[in-house]
């Protein structure tokens, strides 16, 4: 396969070599079921325990507060539906308009089932109004679910402040931290976050493994029921290889998080600054300051994001666009619309998301190609002459 220049790490990440090595024995020799009575099966239990501890260190909590799931989507569903099931007397849910569909679609399904749903809007920087949030949380509010960092723009919400507001009003607070864990230092013991979702494949572990953190004392019903795994909090035979992999990835992330914040941010800034300078009609989406260190979301006026992606693809460069191609019409993403990005720019948004595996040479290559791609597509655009 031709060399791939991978700038789509918010979509998924490469499995780290160390992670692959750690998980392989559990796909081959150590295939026992940890619930079995025999020694062969029972011996894998200690690896689950170790992984729980590795993850607890990364996010600053007690290992008993970690429940393994199949990924971010399941964790989000389990958090929202689990709290609503545990607090049947409360009928209100609060979220934002820029959540990932794993949260937004779940909240809207609950709305269709009779709950009251408030979707908070955001400003041009992608931030919510904290006073509006405070005035919306009331005695009827079961859960407030607000993402830690946005997957399209990288915009970080002031989660500790938000959690404090929600706690003071007595509602449960969940955050989808799928894009934050491994990129930002967290300390859940010191926060008012009750529930947090994370996903392995965003931090160099494989797809299909995730965690729901549940602070001790949080009222929540199990979402997937059956066997007694995870202390009856999430049924189903454990994905041991995935669990071991996520533990290893968490340990690696804890070691490299400073590098991610410096080396990766430096590369991202170089890429972003150069594109904004050399490409006509380019503009940054989302506030510049409170942002993940690895994400740049840039709009190119009067050009379709998909056209840019296809041109980049011809050079082996992988990036992504916020818009979804539905039934032949290109809809700007719900995040761009919520931020009020003008229609002429919302269509042309491209997300570059880096990881610790990207190099300066790769950034230079993209910087060289982008102005040519943008000029050529703009010449073809029916909207500008
Ligand atoms: N939440 C956010 C913010 C995400 O970016 C993603 C994945 O893109 C998910 C949830 C879903 O996670 P998973 O793919 O592990 O189900």
């Amino acid at each position: 396969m031709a060399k791939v220049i991978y700038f789509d790490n918010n979509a998924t990440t490469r499995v780290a070599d160390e992670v692959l090595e750690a998980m392989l024995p559990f796909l081959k020799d150590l295939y026992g079921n940890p619930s079995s009575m025999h020694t062969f099966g029972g011996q894998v239990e200690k690896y689950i325990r170790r992984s729980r501890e590795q993850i607890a260190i990364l996010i600053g909590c007690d290992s008993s507060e970690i429940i393994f799931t199949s990924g971010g989507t399941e964790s989000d569903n389990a958090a929202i539906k689990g709290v609503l099931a545990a607090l049947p007397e409360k009928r209100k849910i609060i979220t934002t308009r820029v959540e990932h569909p794993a949260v937004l679609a779940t909240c809207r399904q609950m709305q269709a089932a009779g709950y009251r749903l408030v979707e908070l809007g955001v400003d041009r920087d992608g931030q919510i109004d904290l006073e509006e949030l405070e005035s919306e949380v009331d005695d009827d509010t079961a859960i407030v679910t607000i993402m830690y960092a946005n997957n399209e723009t990288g915009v970080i919400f002031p989660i500790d402040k938000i959690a404090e507001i929600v706690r003071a009003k007595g509602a449960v607070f969940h955050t989808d931290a799928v894009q934050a864990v491994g990129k930002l230092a967290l300390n859940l013991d010191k926060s008012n976050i009750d529930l947090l979702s994370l996903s392995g494949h965003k931090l160099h572990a494989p797809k299909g493994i995730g965690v729901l953190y549940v602070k001790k004392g949080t009222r929540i019903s199990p979402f997937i029921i059956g066997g007694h795994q995870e202390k009856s909090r999430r049924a189903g035979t454990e994905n041991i290889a995935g669990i071991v992999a996520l533990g290893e990835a968490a340990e690696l992330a804890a070691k490299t998080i400073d590098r991610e914040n410096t080396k990766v941010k430096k590369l991202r800034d170089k890429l972003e600054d150069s594109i904004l300078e050399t490409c006509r009609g380019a503009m940054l989406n989302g506030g510049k300051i409170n942002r993940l260190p690895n994400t740049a979301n840039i709009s190119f006026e009067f050009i379709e994001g998909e056209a840019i992606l296809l041109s980049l693809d011809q050079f082996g460069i992988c990036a992504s666009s916020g818009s979804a191609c539905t039934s032949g019409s290109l809809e700007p993403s719900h995040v761009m619309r919520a931020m009020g990005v003008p229609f002429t720019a919302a269509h042309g948004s491209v997300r570059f998301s880096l990881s610790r595996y990207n190099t300066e040479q790769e950034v230079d290559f993209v910087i060289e190609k982008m102005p040519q791609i943008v000029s050529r597509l703009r010449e073809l655009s029916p909207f500008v002459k």
Side-chain angles (χ1 to χ4, degrees):
M1 202 177 125
K3 183 169 162 36
V4 163
I5 298 179
Y6 193 73
F7 284 92
D8 201 11
N9 287 279
N10 286 9
T12 196
T13 59
R14 160 187 154 183
V15 174
D17 293 344
E18 299 89 329
V19 169
L20 181 64
E21 207 173 301
M23 72 187 284
L24 281 179
F26 300 89
L27 295 170
K28 201 162 175 273
D29 302 324
L30 292 168
Y31 56 82
N33 187 328
S35 302
S36 296
M37 288 303 288
H38 45 73
T39 314
F40 176 66
Q43 67 180 323
V44 296
E45 176 62 35
K46 63 175 178 285
Y47 298 97
I48 301 181
R49 219 177 309 129
R50 178 173 139 82
S51 168
R52 234 187 272 282
E53 281 159 14
Q54 288 166 313
I55 296 162
I57 290 171
L58 178 68
I59 61 177
C61 69
D62 193 89
S63 60
S64 64
E65 296 172 313
I66 286 173
I67 302 175
F68 289 109
T69 67
S70 66
T73 302
E74 183 190 320
S75 297
D76 288 341
N77 272 264
I80 297 163
K81 294 179 178 174
V83 168
L84 295 180
L87 303 171
E89 68 287 0
K90 300 203 176 199
R91 306 298 298 168
K92 184 172 173 183
I93 309 166
I94 300 175
T95 189
T96 77
R97 276 196 212 143
V98 295
E99 299 298 311
H100 186 275
V103 165
L104 216 40
T106 305
C107 290
R108 288 176 185 168
Q109 187 192 43
M110 294 295 96
Q111 182 183 36
Y115 286 89
R116 271 195 306 137
L117 174 64
V118 172
E119 294 180 14
L120 301 169
V122 296
D123 61 19
R124 266 312 288 273
D125 284 346
Q127 289 293 346
I128 57 166
D129 178 346
L130 295 184
E131 282 176 19
E132 187 189 357
L133 166 71
E134 191 162 9
S135 68
E136 284 291 358
V137 192
D138 58 16
D139 290 346
D140 195 35
T141 308
I143 185 166
V144 177
T145 170
I146 296 181
M147 69 200 322
Y148 211 113
N150 188 272
N151 45 302
E152 290 187 27
T153 58
V155 167
I156 300 168
F157 281 127
I159 286 299
D160 284 333
K161 182 86 199 112
I162 290 171
E164 207 180 297
I165 293 171
V166 176
R167 167 67 57 90
K169 296 272 194 130
V172 175
F173 181 62
H174 166 251
T175 185
D176 173 342
V178 165
Q179 294 293 343
V181 173
K183 297 172 189 150
L184 303 175
L186 305 187
N187 191 348
L188 297 177
D189 273 347
K190 291 214 162 69
S191 83
N192 286 315
I193 297 168
D194 298 305
L195 301 159
L196 175 143
S197 304
L198 70 92
S199 173
H201 74 104
K202 311 290 181 174
L203 63 145
H204 305 289
K207 294 152 192 66
I209 183 72
V211 158
L212 177 64
Y213 155 84
V214 181
K215 196 185 265 311
K216 269 188 207 100
T218 306
R219 286 175 64 192
I220 183 166
S221 300
F223 172 60
I224 293 184
I225 55 168
H228 296 297
Q229 294 88 355
E230 298 295 277
K231 298 201 182 111
S232 299
R233 295 177 300 177
R234 196 278 190 182
T237 303
E238 296 88 340
N239 169 5
I240 309 284
I243 289 172
V244 169
L246 182 49
E248 186 68 23
E251 192 172 317
L252 265 180
K255 279 190 211 143
T256 56
I257 206 156
D258 290 340
R259 197 159 147 228
E260 193 103 6
N261 269 313
T262 48
K263 181 202 139 173
V264 174
K265 181 175 181 300
K266 220 162 120 192
L267 290 181
R268 189 278 310 268
D269 287 348
K270 181 175 183 186
L271 177 73
E272 180 176 290
D273 292 347
S274 170
I275 290 176
L276 291 173
E277 203 181 298
T278 57
C279 300
R280 200 157 53 87
M283 61 180 89
L284 187 66
N285 291 315
K288 204 170 162 64
I289 310 296
N290 295 319
R291 234 174 356 138
L292 292 174
N294 79 321
T295 309
N297 187 310
I298 302 173
S299 273
F300 300 87
E301 261 199 313
F302 302 115
I303 309 179
E304 295 288 356
E306 279 71 12
I308 298 173
L309 294 185
L310 290 176
S311 304
L312 287 169
D313 195 46
Q314 287 173 356
F315 297 108
I317 301 166
C318 307
S320 121
S321 137
S323 45
C325 187
T326 46
S327 61
S329 73
L330 293 168
E331 280 289 315
S333 89
H334 68 290
V335 177
M336 294 300 128
R337 269 182 292 155
M339 285 172 30
V341 175
F343 192 74
T344 49
H347 274 281
S349 83
V350 176
R351 177 187 72 188
F352 297 94
S353 48
L354 286 65
S355 83
R356 58 179 179 264
Y357 296 113
N358 287 118
T359 64
E360 184 144 19
Q361 286 91 315
E362 290 177 331
V363 167
D364 289 340
F365 186 66
V366 178
I367 286 174
E368 182 198 319
K369 297 297 173 204
M370 275 304 287
Q372 309 163 16
I373 292 172
V374 171
S375 310
R376 190 176 53 81
L377 291 175
R378 192 156 283 127
E379 272 166 29
L380 298 174
S381 169
F383 304 108
V384 274
K385 281 293 156 237

